[in-house]
């Protein structure tokens, strides 16, 4: 694969861990906050993968968060590393539209979302699916656009909701599917870019 891939994380980084174990060539990992995802890279990646925390907290909190400035900083950082494909893996900062422009990373940012989009968008997708009473949910891998949890769908896989499921048990079963489906989808996407 000759495309340079960056993975963006904010949380536990179990999808990133699966990508590393899958042997997906990753050139850079960026977190928006200190998180286990960064530990995953520093502890388990052989050979080492460059990793950085670009602190979103430096750009203000809540409504004062300077989203455009943060997005510009991240975009510049990715471009300086010659990144071709940006993979969001539990990245919790909504980026402003400039990174999605064709001259930057438009059409080259991927996201995974723990529901069968367009159902249950947003950061409570697993909880909302459980509360709705549906019997099947799942995961979606898609090309990211400025509108959150939208954009062309590359792959989807169903996950049944079982009696007694909690948000935690259901999300973990969805992630088990994502840990296989996401690396596979990234490889196919990179091969056709
Ligand atoms: C995954 O369910 C992904 O779909 C969602 O965030 C979760 C990341 O999990 N966007 P982890 O931090 O890699 O364990």
């Amino acid at each position: 694969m000759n495309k340079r891939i960056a993975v963006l994380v904010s949380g536990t980084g179990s999808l990133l861990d699966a990508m590393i174990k899958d042997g997906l060539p990753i050139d850079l990992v960026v977190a928006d906050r200190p998180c286990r995802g960064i530990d995953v890279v520093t502890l388990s990646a052989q050979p080492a993968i460059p990793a950085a925390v670009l602190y979103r907290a430096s750009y203000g909190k809540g409504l004062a968060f300077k989203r455009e400035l943060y997005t510009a900083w991240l975009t510049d950082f990715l471009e300086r590393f010659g990144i071709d494909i940006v993979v969001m893996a539990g990245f919790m900062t909504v980026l402003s539209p400039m990174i999605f422009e064709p001259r930057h990373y438009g059409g080259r940012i991927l996201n995974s979302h723990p529901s069968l989009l367009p159902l249950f968008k947003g950061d409570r997708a697993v909880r909302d699916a459980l509360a709705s009473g549906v019997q099947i949910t799942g995961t979606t891998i898609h090309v990211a656009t400025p509108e959150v949890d939208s954009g062309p769908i590359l792959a989807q896989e169903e996950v049944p909701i079982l009696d007694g499921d909690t948000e935690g048990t259901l999300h973990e079963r969805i992630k088990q599917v994502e840990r296989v489906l996401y690396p596979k989808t990234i490889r196919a996407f990179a091969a056709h870019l």
Side-chain angles (χ1 to χ4, degrees), residues 11-16 88-92 111-114 139 171 174-175 178-179:
T12 57
S14 74
L15 300 191
L16 169 63
M88 297 199 280
F91 188 64
M92 297 306 289
N111 184 44
S112 71
H113 182 74
T139 183
H171 199 174
I174 294 171
K175 287 193 200 182
E178 293 180 313
R179 289 176 195 129

Side-chain angles (χ1 to χ4, degrees), residues 1-2 8 18 27 29 34 40 54-55 60 64 66 75 104 137 179 191:
M1 196 187 299
N2 56 0
L8 310 186
D27 297 282
V29 171
V40 162
L54 268 59
Y55 285 81
K66 296 183 179 66
T75 304
H104 295 300
T137 184
R179 289 176 195 129

Side-chain angles (χ1 to χ4, degrees), residues 28-117:
L28 177 66
V29 171
V30 177
D32 60 357
R33 65 199 77 185
C35 61
R36 200 180 151 267
I38 281 290
D39 300 339
V40 162
V41 195
T42 50
L43 295 173
S44 71
Q46 288 294 337
I49 299 171
V53 180
L54 268 59
Y55 285 81
R56 70 165 275 166
S58 310
Y59 284 78
K61 291 201 171 122
L63 291 176
F65 176 54
K66 296 183 179 66
R67 196 172 307 281
E68 285 74 22
L69 286 181
Y70 182 79
T71 302
W73 187 37
L74 173 62
T75 304
D76 189 42
F77 195 81
L78 296 168
E79 289 175 345
R80 281 165 183 255
F81 269 84
I83 295 302
D84 299 300
I85 299 171
V86 181
V87 171
M88 297 199 280
F91 188 64
M92 297 306 289
T93 295
V94 174
L95 298 172
S96 67
M98 65 89 70
I99 195 170
F100 299 97
E101 291 172 8
R103 68 194 167 107
H104 295 300
Y105 287 103
R108 293 185 286 133
I109 304 176
L110 306 187
N111 184 44
S112 71
H113 182 74
S115 77
L116 297 174
L117 290 173

